């Protein structure tokens, strides 16, 4: 499709990014990427490694047995198999790996619908921000049992920190002995630790994953300084932030570990320059019903505006908007042009965007002045407005957003300065954290209906384009798309109790009719 177009000559080299080329979509109508890890003590060099794929969960009707290649300590014993071109469109399959007499647990995948098909509906479970040390993954136990088609993960799959946890069994000790990741061994250990959670395993075994990342897969609020030609942790959040060579190696290690542990069909070149090493951004077509555009909002992000306010939150605040400075970018030049082409040429009923950080204004009152997060799209105002115009040109645009550790539903606009006059260009659905700290926890807010109502009221008074907001709960969201409507459902799942004891309840549901940018509370 459109991502296969060759790059035009004469583009500026910086901000740059690997162009999304042929085959960089997962799943596809004819396959998926399957992932596993062989236990090191069970690995036998030279022994066959294969994956068996069937049309039923009893493996009576085999679709094929495929060579899974090789692995070993150089890949931390991880295995990825690309089945593109081998399966039928729009249906589930079951799979299991085999090596040296050992058989893995069974997983399930779902191929994309055929491009020319008209699916009745597509349902996505939307998850993000799962600090292992800050709670249990009861949300994933419910995702595993949900009747959804795919899981979209918006990032912060791991956090870079180690240490003790107030939750039993959730302590992390890194191989380096440090309290924060310092290299490849630490990042690999973090991915292994997070993936050891049984509820997360169950969710990823039950549903095909579509993933992007956010900042904590490497360091907090990370960005690339094009002036200095080097990467940084935001607000000096890594103790060796001033060591350029160390930070380059650290970012490269985080990228490699993410690629090893994520079943995504993306281009990875460990020998390339840092900004050219990973081509994460890609798109997925669900027949004529839905186009899903997945972006990378961290690798090519330039330096944010200067922050000038103290804050108890996990990101910096500033008192003045970022202004019209067009040099600041979240997406980088190549990805920005690719995004424009993808969104504006979409002919599907719905155009969804897997968006890591909130696009809507979310101003808060700090010391009597309005403030905003410099790590959100508000810190990159010129590009934010341009992205909004692109979304407004698409059919029924929906942003699926993470990072905020809160639930929200509202309207995307080119300008949020005058909510009464500015046009609605799409809607934004924000999924909460699985377990990471939200406002209730960070600010030690009281719980109860009145406290929740007061917080929602305060947010809406400052941000009238936000129809719903909740930062008292944890959980996940679903987004269901049909020809008639898109429906956002917010689920609360307690992260303070073991997953087996965590009940689920519905917090809110909003419906957006096709052809009408209108949030309807259900």
């Amino acid at each position: 499709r459109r991502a296969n177009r060759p790059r035009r000559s004469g583009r500026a080299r910086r901000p740059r990014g690997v162009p999304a080329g042929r085959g960089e979509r997962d799943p596809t109508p004819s396959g998926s990427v399957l992932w596993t890890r062989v236990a090191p003590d069970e690995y036998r060099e030279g022994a066959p490694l294969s994956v068996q794929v069937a049309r039923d969960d009893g493996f009576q009707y085999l679709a094929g047995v495929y060579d899974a290649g090789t692995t070993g300590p150089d890949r931390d014993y991880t295995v990825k198999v690309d089945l593109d071109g081998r399966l039928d469109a729009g249906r589930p399959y079951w799979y299991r790996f085999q090596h040296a007499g050992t058989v893995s647990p069974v997983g399930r995948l779902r191929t994309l619908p055929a491009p020319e098909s008209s699916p009745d509906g597509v349902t996505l479970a939307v998850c993000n921000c799962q600090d292992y040390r800050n709670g249990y993954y009861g949300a994933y136990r419910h995702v595993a049992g949900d009747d959804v088609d795919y899981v979209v993960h918006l990032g912060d799959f791991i956090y870079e920190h180690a240490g003790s946890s107030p939750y039993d069994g959730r302590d992390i000790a890194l191989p380096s002995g440090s309290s924060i990741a310092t290299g490849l061994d630490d990042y690999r250990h973090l991915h292994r630790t997070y993936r050891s959670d049984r509820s997360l395993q169950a969710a990823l075994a039950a549903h095909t994953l579509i993933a992007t990342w956010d900042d904590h897969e490497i360091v907090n609020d990370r960005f690339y300084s094009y002036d200095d030609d080097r990467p940084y942790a935001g607000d000096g959040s890594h103790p060796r932030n001033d060591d350029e060579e160390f930070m380059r190696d650290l970012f490269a290690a985080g990228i490699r570990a993410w690629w090893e542990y994520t079943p995504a069909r993306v281009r990875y070149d460990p020998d390339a320059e840092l900004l050219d090493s990973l081509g994460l951004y890609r798109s997925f077509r669900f027949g004529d019903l839905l186009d899903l555009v997945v972006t990378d909002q961290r690798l090519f992000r330039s330096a944010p505006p200067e922050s000038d306010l103290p804050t108890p939150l996990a990101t910096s605040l500033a008192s003045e908007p970022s202004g019209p400075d067009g040099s600041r970018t979240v997406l980088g030049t190549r990805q920005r042009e690719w995004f424009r082409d993808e969104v504006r040429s979409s002919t599907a009923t719905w155009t969804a965007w897997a968006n890591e950080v909130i696009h809507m204004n979310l101003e808060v009152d700090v010391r009597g002045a309005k403030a905003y997060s410099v790590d959100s799209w508000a810190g990159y105002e010129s590009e934010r407005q341009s992205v909004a115009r692109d979304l407004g040109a698409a059919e029924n645009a929906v942003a699926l957003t993470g990072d905020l550790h809160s639930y929200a539903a509202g309207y995307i606009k080119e300008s949020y300065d005058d909510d009464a006059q500015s046009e609605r260009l799409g809607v934004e659905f924000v999924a909460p954290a699985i377990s990471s700290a939200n406002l209730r926890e960070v600010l030690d807010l009281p719980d109860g209906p009145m406290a929740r109502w007061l917080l929602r009221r305060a947010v809406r008074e400052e941000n009238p384009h936000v129809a719903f907001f909740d930062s008292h709960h944890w959980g996940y969201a679903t987004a269901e798309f049909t020809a008639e409507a898109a429906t956002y459902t917010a689920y609360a799942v307690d992260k303070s109790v073991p997953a087996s004891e965590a009940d689920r309840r519905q917090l809110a549901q909003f419906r957006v009719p096709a052809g009408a940018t209108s949030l309807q509370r259900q």
Side-chain angles (χ1 to χ4, degrees):
R1 294 177 65 236
R2 297 176 293 279
N4 297 335
R5 293 174 179 168
R7 283 183 292 144
R8 290 170 287 180
S9 61
R11 295 186 182 179
R13 189 160 186 264
R14 296 190 308 168
R16 59 202 167 191
V18 179
R22 181 179 299 276
E24 293 191 3
R25 299 180 182 84
D26 175 54
T28 69
S30 60
S32 186
V33 173
L34 306 182
W35 181 94
T36 193
R37 182 176 185 266
V38 180
D41 57 355
E42 297 290 338
Y43 176 67
R44 300 293 181 268
E45 187 174 359
L49 179 59
S50 63
V51 62
Q52 191 178 50
V53 182
R55 294 179 175 86
D56 66 306
D57 58 2
F59 287 81
Q60 294 183 354
Y61 302 97
L62 286 180
V65 178
Y66 305 103
D67 180 18
T70 61
T71 188
D74 60 322
R75 289 185 54 175
D76 203 26
Y77 302 95
T78 60
V79 179
K80 291 201 288 188
V81 181
D82 188 352
L83 298 181
D84 188 36
R86 295 174 174 175
L87 305 177
D88 296 330
R91 59 153 299 152
Y93 289 89
W94 287 259
Y95 63 92
R96 58 193 178 192
F97 287 88
Q98 298 174 317
H99 173 69
T102 300
V103 180
S104 75
V106 173
R108 183 177 62 179
L109 70 90
R110 179 177 293 276
T111 54
L112 292 182
E116 67 278 4
S117 66
S118 297
D120 291 334
V122 173
T123 303
L124 309 174
V126 187
C127 306
N128 68 108
C129 300
Q130 53 196 52
D131 188 343
Y132 184 88
R133 296 185 304 132
N134 202 52
Y136 300 110
Y137 289 173
Y140 278 122
R141 182 174 70 86
H142 292 281
V143 170
D146 275 356
D147 184 19
V148 299
D149 297 304
Y150 306 89
V151 171
V152 174
H153 200 287
L154 297 171
D156 289 349
F157 194 96
I158 65 167
Y159 279 67
E160 71 272 32
H161 295 284
S164 61
S165 168
Y167 300 93
D168 186 45
R170 308 299 270 193
D171 295 354
I172 297 178
L174 294 176
S176 67
S178 175
S179 62
I180 190 170
T182 60
L184 183 58
D185 287 347
D186 285 349
Y187 286 120
R188 284 172 166 172
H189 180 80
L190 287 166
H191 280 279
R192 291 196 302 269
T193 301
Y194 278 62
R195 281 182 167 272
S196 71
D197 184 275
R198 295 297 180 88
S199 295
L200 175 58
Q201 290 178 2
L204 297 183
H207 307 297
T208 300
L209 177 68
I210 298 172
T212 186
W213 62 6
D214 200 11
D215 51 344
H216 288 286
E217 280 83 357
I218 301 180
V219 286
N220 183 46
D221 287 359
R222 58 188 167 104
F223 65 89
Y224 196 91
S225 171
Y226 292 98
D227 290 336
D228 299 338
D229 197 21
R230 55 154 296 192
Y232 283 94
D235 202 25
S237 57
H238 196 284
R240 299 187 63 179
N241 204 30
D242 292 333
D243 186 336
E244 177 179 346
E245 182 177 359
F246 174 87
M247 292 304 290
R248 285 187 181 278
D249 291 343
L250 185 74
F251 272 57
I255 290 169
R256 176 166 182 164
W258 186 91
W259 176 80
E260 289 175 343
Y261 276 85
T262 306
R265 183 180 290 104
V266 298
R267 182 185 294 109
Y268 171 63
D269 182 358
D271 297 321
E273 294 182 36
L274 188 67
L275 292 182
D276 294 329
S277 62
L278 188 72
L280 185 156
Y281 56 95
R282 59 212 192 275
S283 63
F284 303 82
R285 184 169 182 82
F286 303 82
D288 64 3
L289 178 63
L290 171 68
D291 278 345
L292 175 65
V293 181
V294 179
T295 52
D296 177 352
Q297 297 176 15
R298 289 297 173 181
L299 187 58
F300 316 119
R301 174 188 291 246
S302 62
E306 292 293 326
S307 59
D308 54 14
L309 292 173
T311 173
L313 305 179
T315 190
S316 298
L317 298 180
S319 58
E320 295 294 334
S322 63
D325 183 358
S327 67
R328 289 198 184 101
T329 181
V330 173
L331 300 178
T333 302
R334 292 179 185 170
Q335 183 182 195
R336 177 70 194 90
E337 294 180 5
W338 171 86
F339 178 85
R340 179 183 295 115
D341 290 344
E342 287 289 299
V343 170
R344 287 183 173 268
S345 59
S346 173
T347 58
T349 302
W350 296 94
T351 302
W353 173 28
N355 169 46
E356 290 100 300
V357 299
I358 191 166
H359 186 282
M360 294 184 295
N361 250 26
L362 197 63
E363 293 181 339
V364 295
D365 188 274
V366 176
R367 297 180 177 178
K370 290 184 178 181
Y372 71 99
S373 167
V374 300
D375 193 56
S376 72
W377 274 99
Y380 301 79
E381 181 61 23
S382 178
E383 191 170 67
R384 177 170 72 158
Q385 292 180 358
S386 177
V387 163
R389 291 192 294 270
D390 292 338
L391 293 171
E395 291 290 330
N396 300 309
V398 176
L400 304 175
T401 301
D403 182 67
L404 196 61
H405 302 182
S406 306
Y407 307 78
Y411 297 105
I412 293 173
K413 300 188 173 190
E414 182 178 348
S415 172
Y416 297 93
D417 292 337
D418 187 351
D419 267 304
Q421 300 298 322
S422 56
E423 181 184 2
R424 298 172 178 175
L425 301 177
V427 298
E428 185 164 19
F429 296 145
V430 182
I434 296 287
S435 62
S436 303
N438 58 18
L439 289 179
R440 170 188 167 188
E441 187 170 19
V442 171
L443 301 178
D444 195 24
L445 299 176
D447 197 9
M450 179 57 69
R452 295 193 292 270
W453 180 83
L454 287 172
L455 178 59
R456 291 172 184 172
R457 179 182 176 184
V459 169
R460 293 202 61 190
E461 283 184 349
E462 298 290 343
N463 308 276
H465 48 275
V466 177
F468 169 72
F469 182 85
D470 181 285
S471 197
H472 273 76
H473 298 90
W474 293 264
Y476 67 104
T478 61
E480 179 185 8
F481 298 90
T482 67
E484 292 75 32
T487 303
Y488 163 83
T489 306
Y491 291 109
V493 184
D494 190 354
K495 57 98 172 180
S496 68
V497 300
S500 61
E501 303 172 15
D503 293 330
R504 182 184 78 170
R505 66 186 181 91
Q506 182 177 308
L507 283 183
Q509 187 175 77
F510 285 87
R511 181 180 186 271
V512 181
T517 310
S518 175
L519 288 162
Q520 302 174 353
R521 186 79 180 251
Q522 301 298 290

